[in-house]
Amino acid sequence: MLLSIQDLRVTFRLGERGATTLAQAVRGVSFDIPENSTVALVGESGSGKSVTAMSILNLLPDNARRSGAILYQGRDLLQASRAELQGLRGREIACVFQDPMSSLNPVFTVGAQLAEPLIKHLGMGRRAALARAEALLAEVGMPEPKRRLSAYPHELSGGQQQRVMIAMALSCEPRLLIADEPTTALDVTIQRQILELIAGLKTRHRMSVLFISHDLGLVGEIADSVVVMRHGVVRERGPVAQIFSAPQDLYTRALLACRPSLTDTPARLAVIDEHIAGATTGSQAPALAKNPDAPVVLAVRALAKSFFLKRGLFGKREFKAVQGVNFELRRGHTLGVVGESGSGKTTMGLTLLRLHEPTGGEVIFDGRNLLTLSDRERQAMRRRIQIVFQNPYASLNPRFTVGQTLVEPMTIHAIGTDATEREARARALLVKVGLSQDSFGKYPHEFSGGQRQRVAIARCLTLNPEVLVLDEAVSALDVSVQAQVLNLLRDLQDELGLAYVFISHDLAVVRFISDEVLVMKDGQVVEQASAAQILAAPQQDYTRRLLGAVPRGWVPAAV
């Protein structure tokens, strides 16, 4: 056995130094990682899976306390000294984290960061280390590996950054690779490439992998065995085939059930607590048909956006990020926009709102072209078209309470007669998006990711918008919270008649929420049809490739 976790318990000391308040994050977790195998650790955010994994090398904050045993080749890592752990980190046990941009040092080149563990752990000279770094980049499928050695992290795409992280983790040929949500927020094709890369490297290097994820589709494809966690406790463990074909625990069944399907469009997605309680009747009914003759609220014609990049001392080069996009959006309908990273879908959404200035085309809203409005006219019109961004942690001001965040836009746009009326409206909107009125006085750091996204949606609703642009609004959320937010969006649409432009790389989510789908590639629309038609019978090879990359490791009939 390569690694054995036995009755692991992790508590965090809260408050000022000397305080006795303790929060228990992991409660008696036990499982084994055999040699040359992949073990998946799955569960919702807050289930304790990352804390469990980070306990192996003690990559936890100073206020964490661990007990139990973590046996690595018979040696208890909980008793290991700091020097012993530093010798293991990167050399025998390596980690790949969720966000490569925050894991890579922005002021060092890729080559310098790859060479560092080779010099430190293997004693290589700088020239030999750089040659080995180039070979590692080639092994993980990085295009032009020699040129990338001199690149900085911000010059690489998200998928390329993750490849650098994997190359760095593999540089000393570790026995165990800990991959903590390594594909979250990557588009489906890059996600597929990273999965295949990890699986291939595992086979070639004969290493073991601890793969942490909330996406059961991914887990079903890459793992040999699965450990399901909730509230710091292991709820179920077993071979992957057993877990996915005949899950025994209600929580495991609920995790499988709340994932959107590529084949069905229910009225509501199952939420974990409802599924466990047996209250899933709403998720069995099909979605209601939309009115095909609803009035058009947004008409986009030949929308274009170019960026001009410096070339040489005086020259410049045009990069066409969006070219000739056309669509109509009806009241109460949702337009899904899908494509790989770099396809232009987010740029298109930002250009609609003139957060990027367009280089051509028209966006007709309420009979007026949004792209030709003056600043004053645009300010008045902007309250009617709002946007929800991908990252709920970055889109809320950490210095503002939730109440201030909701009241500020109403004050700017003179909605409500006075502060009392605005506060009452803000509190009512918090309830509408599924939060308590007590949230009004709290700060963003006091909320989970899903709750922050609800606050962001409530902030949009303060202005009574008619159109919402949702840019990857649920991509960073785990499947259960994702289901809650998607259900909320559908409820708000039915109640308020909102129209959505829903930008996503998750085709199953797009199938659930969208009426019509645009498929974008290299800034252009390559296919456009109803959601059911595109997913059932795609016409373009590119669309078929996107669908083929969707993880299908779980079996819907088994849940």
Side-chain angles (χ1 to χ4, degrees):
M1 191 62 61
L2 182 65
L3 186 135
S4 178
I5 296 178
Q6 300 174 3
D7 194 31
L8 176 67
R9 299 174 185 272
V10 182
T11 57
F12 291 90
R13 188 185 67 249
L14 304 180
E16 299 296 328
R17 183 176 297 276
T20 57
T21 304
L22 299 176
Q24 194 165 10
V26 176
R27 308 163 185 262
V29 166
S30 300
F31 63 88
D32 297 328
I33 303 177
E35 293 194 3
N36 194 28
S37 70
T38 298
V39 176
L41 202 55
V42 300
E44 301 169 88
S45 297
S47 62
K49 55 187 188 296
S50 290
V51 173
T52 299
M54 294 304 102
S55 295
I56 295 172
L57 289 173
N58 196 19
L59 298 176
L60 296 173
D62 292 338
N63 64 333
R65 296 291 179 269
R66 303 174 298 160
S67 64
I70 300 177
L71 303 179
Y72 175 70
Q73 295 184 318
R75 179 171 35 156
D76 189 356
L77 298 185
L78 293 190
Q79 308 304 321
S81 67
R82 181 183 180 90
E84 289 176 310
L85 288 176
Q86 286 180 334
L88 286 175
R89 293 170 184 164
R91 180 66 184 92
E92 294 192 43
I93 304 176
C95 299
V96 177
F97 299 103
Q98 176 174 345
D99 183 3
M101 194 59 202
S102 63
S103 301
L104 294 169
N105 193 321
V107 301
F108 287 107
T109 64
V110 166
Q113 295 184 65
L114 281 169
E116 182 181 13
L118 296 169
I119 295 170
K120 179 178 178 60
H121 290 295
L122 303 184
M124 286 187 176
R126 178 169 175 76
R127 180 174 295 180
L130 287 175
R132 173 63 179 151
E134 181 183 343
L136 284 166
L137 288 180
E139 185 176 10
V140 299
M142 178 73 77
E144 301 180 89
K146 187 172 185 177
R147 186 169 70 86
R148 301 296 183 188
L149 290 175
S150 58
Y152 288 88
H154 73 271
E155 299 178 278
L156 306 179
S157 69
Q160 289 172 335
Q161 291 170 4
Q162 199 62 288
R163 288 174 188 272
V164 171
M165 285 299 302
I166 293 171
M168 194 181 305
L170 295 175
S171 59
C172 298
E173 299 188 358
R175 302 286 304 278
L176 174 64
L177 176 67
I178 300 172
D180 188 4
E181 302 272 11
T183 61
T184 297
L186 298 179
D187 67 58
V188 288
T189 53
I190 302 299
Q191 187 181 76
R192 168 69 59 182
Q193 292 170 16
I194 297 297
L195 278 183
E196 292 175 350
L197 172 62
I198 291 175
L201 291 169
K202 174 215 165 195
T203 301
R204 288 199 297 276
H205 293 272
R206 297 191 60 78
M207 65 180 179
S208 295
V209 178
L210 178 59
F211 189 89
I212 303 165
S213 180
H214 62 254
D215 191 327
L216 290 158
L218 290 177
V219 165
E221 294 200 355
I222 196 171
D224 300 306
S225 60
V226 179
V227 179
V228 182
M229 290 185 65
R230 191 187 197 198
H231 301 328
V233 176
V234 173
R235 297 293 295 260
E236 186 169 3
R237 67 169 70 84
V240 67
Q242 174 188 316
I243 294 292
F244 284 85
S245 62
Q248 301 300 305
D249 192 85
L250 278 175
Y251 178 65
T252 309
R253 297 178 195 170
L255 275 179
L256 290 166
C258 67
R259 182 77 173 90
S261 168
L262 281 171
T263 55
D264 301 315
T265 309
R268 298 181 65 77
L269 291 172
V271 176
I272 282 183
D273 289 337
E274 294 175 357
H275 192 277
I276 290 175
T280 57
T281 53
S283 63
Q284 307 302 315
L288 298 176
K290 301 288 181 65
N291 177 11
D293 299 318
V296 174
V297 293
L298 196 68
V300 175
R301 300 167 187 162
L303 183 66
K305 171 61 183 174
S306 292
F307 295 96
F308 294 90
L309 310 176
K310 187 175 181 180
R311 171 181 282 177
L313 191 59
F314 301 107
K316 60 181 180 179
R317 176 172 63 88
E318 182 181 10
F319 171 67
K320 295 181 178 180
V322 177
Q323 306 175 59
V325 172
N326 298 279
F327 65 83
E328 289 186 344
L329 179 62
R330 297 182 180 274
R331 177 179 171 82
H333 285 230
T334 299
L335 175 76
V337 183
V338 300
E340 298 173 286
S341 298
S343 63
K345 56 187 188 296
T346 292
T347 302
M348 186 272 288
L350 296 177
T351 305
L352 288 178
L353 298 164
R354 283 183 68 180
L355 296 175
H356 286 321
E357 284 298 325
T359 50
E362 295 180 327
V363 178
I364 307 301
F365 177 72
D366 197 17
R368 306 185 68 185
N369 184 5
L370 297 181
L371 306 186
T372 60
L373 297 179
S374 66
D375 289 344
R376 175 175 292 184
E377 292 171 321
R378 181 173 55 177
Q379 179 80 349
M381 194 68 75
R382 181 168 281 171
R383 62 173 284 248
R384 301 170 64 186
I385 305 180
Q386 287 288 298
I387 185 167
V388 179
F389 294 100
Q390 174 177 353
N391 187 348
Y393 295 89
S395 60
L396 298 176
N397 190 329
R399 297 177 181 272
F400 277 19
T401 65
V402 166
Q404 291 172 302
T405 296
L406 299 187
V407 168
E408 183 189 41
M410 290 190 280
T411 304
I412 292 172
H413 290 277
I415 294 175
T417 56
D418 56 26
T420 302
E421 183 177 333
R422 290 171 189 139
E423 179 177 336
R425 175 172 167 75
R427 291 181 181 276
L429 284 171
L430 287 173
V431 174
K432 185 180 287 291
V433 300
L435 297 172
S436 69
Q437 291 195 30
D438 296 341
S439 304
F440 188 85
K442 295 181 179 180
Y443 288 87
H445 73 269
E446 299 180 76
F447 296 91
S448 69
Q451 289 171 326
R452 292 189 200 199
Q453 203 62 294
R454 289 170 183 265
V455 172
I457 293 169
R459 178 176 56 185
C460 292
L461 296 179
T462 59
L463 300 178
N464 296 318
E466 297 164 51
V467 177
L468 283 187
V469 177
L470 298 130
D471 184 15
E472 300 277 12
V474 298
S475 66
L477 306 178
D478 66 53
V479 287
S480 58
V481 177
Q482 184 185 82
Q484 296 170 18
V485 173
L486 289 172
N487 286 339
L488 169 64
L489 290 172
R490 181 165 277 183
D491 291 342
L492 292 172
Q493 187 172 61
D494 293 341
E495 179 183 349
L496 304 175
L498 295 171
Y500 298 146
V501 177
F502 191 90
I503 300 167
S504 180
H505 63 258
D506 191 324
L507 293 167
V509 168
V510 167
R511 169 65 190 262
F512 171 76
I513 198 75
S514 302
D515 304 292
E516 187 177 3
V517 175
L518 292 183
V519 182
M520 293 190 67
K521 181 178 185 292
D522 298 331
Q524 297 179 307
V525 176
V526 297
E527 191 162 356
Q528 183 173 354
S530 71
Q533 181 180 337
I534 277 193
L535 293 173
Q539 301 300 305
Q540 298 294 320
D541 288 340
Y542 177 71
T543 310
R544 286 192 281 270
R545 183 157 60 86
L546 286 178
L547 283 168
V550 175
R552 301 171 189 270
W554 55 289
V555 183
V559 296

